[in-house]
Amino acid sequence: MNISFRHLLSADQVTQEDIQAICKKASFFHHNTSSSIFDLARGKILASLFFEPSTRTRFAFEAAMQKLGGNIITLESGASSSTKKGETLSDTGRIMSGYCDIAVIRHPQKNSATEFAKHATIPVINAGDGSNQHPSQSLLDIYTINHFHHRLDELSIGIIGDLKFSRTVKSLVQLLAFYKRHTFYLISHPSLKMNTETVAWLKKCGHQVIETKSLQDTLPLLDIAYMTRVQEERFDTKESYDAVKNHYRLERAHLTHAKPTLTILHPLPRIAEIAEDVDTHTSAKYFDQAQFGLYIRMALISEMLGLEI
Ligand code: NCD
């Protein structure tokens, strides 16, 4: 095993060496489609436990395991498992350890993956625990940034939309903080700002942080525009969501003065925050980003299972 963690529960467990090892392996899977890869995980089973909706994360993990030659058992909705009868997540984790070799869990509660992993004897990956963390997404975001910019230092990074509830943002800034001299432009509605502790911590790590409201004025300065969906499911009322949901919308016309090397990323799904006419712009990389998620998940599964190529 070339990585330092047993479970992947939060981005703050990941070291710079881990990022390197995972991205190196992901790059191998990205560029080699040799059939010998398809045998790596033969006989191994991945449990895919999704208590919240998912398209990319769930299918990328399941496709990754199948591409590695392993099998999956899957739970699409918590309603069909014993947690509905009141079983604790830590009991479920203990039980699943007897049936499979690695587990991926998404759940609406913060720290649910940690609870699931408490007595698990198999590696556990947090695929999103409420508004808390989504570490495998941040690894694929880093992989995508490095793929298009060939560096992870000194980037001008706009993070736009829901900086309060987005778990992908929370995980991503933790990984980006390792690198040197970034300028973060935090662009959000005042009620969806990044929490002040994280802002202070980024500054302490040596980065510049600029909080601003204007996406259009900031766009020409950016190397990366990381768009996010306003996380409707985390709001207490529909009215409070409606009041902020359409605050930012990136349209093709806004890109006239953007750097030619700008990359527009989004963990997806996008709702209205990126107009469809942006999709064909050379800076639009969010569909590549989603594709790269497959290679990162192949890398994570093989590293966490200790499978050597
Ligand atoms: C994200 C998530 O679930 O946090 N989606 C994903 O995993 N690609 C982002 C979102 O739902 O807005």
Side-chain angles (χ1 to χ4, degrees):
M1 228 160 85
N2 303 309
I3 49 171
S4 66
F5 52 87
R6 170 166 166 67
H7 303 302
L8 179 58
L9 303 173
S10 170
D12 63 14
Q13 293 172 266
V14 178
T15 64
Q16 228 174 319
E17 292 70 37
D18 292 331
I19 297 174
Q20 257 168 24
I22 293 160
C23 288
K24 190 170 166 214
K25 205 145 188 193
S27 173
F28 174 85
F29 290 128
H30 188 168
H31 298 105
N32 289 278
T33 43
S34 143
S35 58
S36 61
I37 298 169
F38 303 143
D39 267 347
L40 266 187
R42 188 202 288 266
K44 305 280 188 196
I45 298 176
L46 173 131
S48 162
L49 307 165
F50 281 78
F51 296 82
E52 258 192 355
S54 172
T55 302
R56 276 149 294 275
T57 307
R58 176 172 163 221
F59 289 114
F61 269 115
E62 295 186 4
M65 188 55 168
Q66 303 218 18
K67 278 194 177 282
L68 293 168
N71 297 304
I72 55 158
I73 49 178
T74 181
L75 174 71
E76 199 176 336
S77 140
S80 59
S81 83
S82 277
T83 50
K84 198 71 191 167
K85 299 183 197 165
E87 184 167 66
T88 61
L89 281 171
S90 67
D91 275 0
T92 310
R94 191 191 290 253
I95 297 301
M96 295 311 291
S97 300
Y99 303 150
C100 49
D101 302 281
I102 183 165
V104 178
I105 177 166
R106 170 173 290 185
H107 192 283
Q109 273 163 28
K110 282 187 187 177
N111 300 319
S112 46
T114 305
E115 187 60 19
F116 180 89
K118 199 164 154 192
H119 300 298
T121 55
I122 55 171
V124 174
I125 300 174
N126 177 8
D129 58 331
S131 62
N132 191 31
Q133 280 282 318
H134 192 351
S136 70
Q137 177 71 41
S138 59
L139 285 164
L140 79 89
D141 294 341
I142 288 280
Y143 182 83
T144 308
I145 293 169
N146 194 45
H147 179 87
F148 289 114
H149 292 273
H150 310 289
R151 70 182 203 275
L152 290 165
D153 290 313
E154 298 188 41
L155 290 161
S156 202
I157 306 159
I159 307 182
I160 300 115
D162 190 341
L163 314 192
K164 181 179 179 187
F165 294 117
S166 167
R167 53 196 177 198
T168 73
V169 169
K170 287 175 193 159
S171 294
L172 178 60
V173 294
Q174 284 183 327
L175 298 193
L176 284 170
F178 280 129
Y179 301 91
K180 292 191 194 78
R181 289 183 296 279
H182 292 315
T183 306
F184 290 97
Y185 292 91
L186 305 181
I187 306 170
S188 73
H189 184 277
S191 66
L192 294 178
K193 280 166 79 161
M194 184 175 283
N195 79 51
T196 48
E197 291 80 31
T198 309
V199 172
W201 175 75
L202 284 172
K203 289 181 181 167
K204 210 171 141 216
C205 293
H207 304 291
Q208 213 186 335
V209 182
I210 298 166
E211 296 190 76
T212 168
K213 285 187 201 142
S214 175
L215 173 59
Q216 288 196 47
D217 292 347
T218 313
L219 264 176
L221 308 172
L222 301 180
D223 298 310
I224 296 158
Y226 191 91
M227 303 293 297
T228 60
R229 173 179 71 91
V230 175
Q231 307 278 296
E232 180 176 6
E233 62 277 36
R234 315 285 174 223
F235 283 75
D236 293 333
T237 62
K238 184 164 175 351
E239 291 69 41
S240 54
Y241 167 68
D242 285 345
V244 294
K245 68 176 180 192
N246 293 326
H247 205 66
Y248 292 102
R249 177 173 167 84
L250 178 62
E251 291 174 10
R252 198 179 174 103
H254 302 156
L255 296 167
T256 320
H257 301 295
K259 293 185 189 178
T261 50
L262 170 74
T263 54
I264 304 165
L265 304 181
H266 191 312
L268 302 177
R270 59 129 167 230
I271 310 302
E273 59 278 1
I274 304 181
E276 281 192 22
D277 65 1
V278 176
D279 296 357
T280 50
H281 192 280
T282 50
S283 288
K285 302 298 185 196
Y286 31 92
F287 294 118
D288 301 275
Q289 180 187 3
Q291 175 62 39
F292 297 164
L294 174 68
Y295 314 125
I296 283 289
R297 271 68 184 235
M298 289 174 82
L300 274 174
I301 293 168
S302 58
E303 281 295 322
M304 292 175 80
L305 286 176
L307 310 173
E308 289 302 331
I309 299 168

